[in-house]
Each structure stands twice: as structure tokens, then as C-alpha cells.
């Protein structure tokens, strides 16, 4: 599991995927979320703008990330 440090919270899920280079664009981030390919804290998340905060665990494409605050 890798740690992702954010400077302020919350951050939107689609932006997080894009900023962490797990997708190539915001449009692709939205698509994978809507298709149910992303989990947040063990549950499938289909809201593109789901607010992510420190302590959340996101899994996408065999990448598991825990969010930390600076």
C-alpha cells in the first residue's frame, strides 16, 4: 500500500486519480469511477466527486493507496 499525502482536504476522487497518474485525463477518471472500477474504504464508489479525506483507502487497477494529510 502506498501513502498519498495531500496538502488540504477534502480532494475529489476524480482529481486524486488524475493527480496520482493512475489515469491519463479527468475524463478517463470519471469513466473508470462511473464503471465501478474504484473502491473507497472497501466499497465500490461511483460518485466522481466523492470527497476524499485523510485515512481513506482507495483501490484502483491493483493500486492501493491510503490518504494522509501533510
Amino acid at each position: 500500500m502506498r501513502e498519498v499525502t495531500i496538502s488540504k482536504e477534502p480532494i475529489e476522487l476524480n482529481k486524486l486519480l488524475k493527480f496520482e497518474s493512475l489515469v491519463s485525463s479527468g475524463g478517463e477518471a470519471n469513466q473508470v469511477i462511473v464503471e465501478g472500477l474504484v473502491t473507497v474504504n472497501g466499497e465500490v464508489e461511483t460518485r466522481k466527486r466523492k470527497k476524499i479525506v485523510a485515512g481513506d483507502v482507495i483501490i484502483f487497477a491493483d493500486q492501493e493507496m491510503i490518504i494522509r494529510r501533510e
Side-chain angles (χ1 to χ4, degrees):
M1 180 181 307
R2 74 179 182 171
E3 289 190 13
V4 175
T5 303
I6 57 176
S7 58
K8 66 177 189 171
E9 56 184 6
I11 184 171
E12 294 175 353
L13 179 58
N14 57 355
K15 291 179 182 177
L16 178 69
L17 294 179
K18 183 178 173 189
F19 292 150
E20 288 301 307
S21 300
L22 297 175
V23 294
S24 58
S25 68
E28 184 180 351
N30 291 340
Q31 187 65 34
V32 299
I33 294 167
V34 168
E35 290 178 4
L37 301 177
V38 181
T39 64
V40 176
N41 300 324
E43 297 188 18
V44 172
E45 183 57 65
T46 57
R47 294 174 287 174
K48 299 174 254 189
R49 294 193 168 134
K50 162 76 172 152
K51 304 299 186 208
I52 303 300
V53 296
D56 285 345
V57 175
I58 292 90
I59 301 174
F60 170 67
D62 296 326
Q63 294 286 322
E64 187 171 356
M65 302 170 286
I66 187 161
I67 307 305
R68 301 283 187 219
R69 176 82 193 263
E70 271 185 349

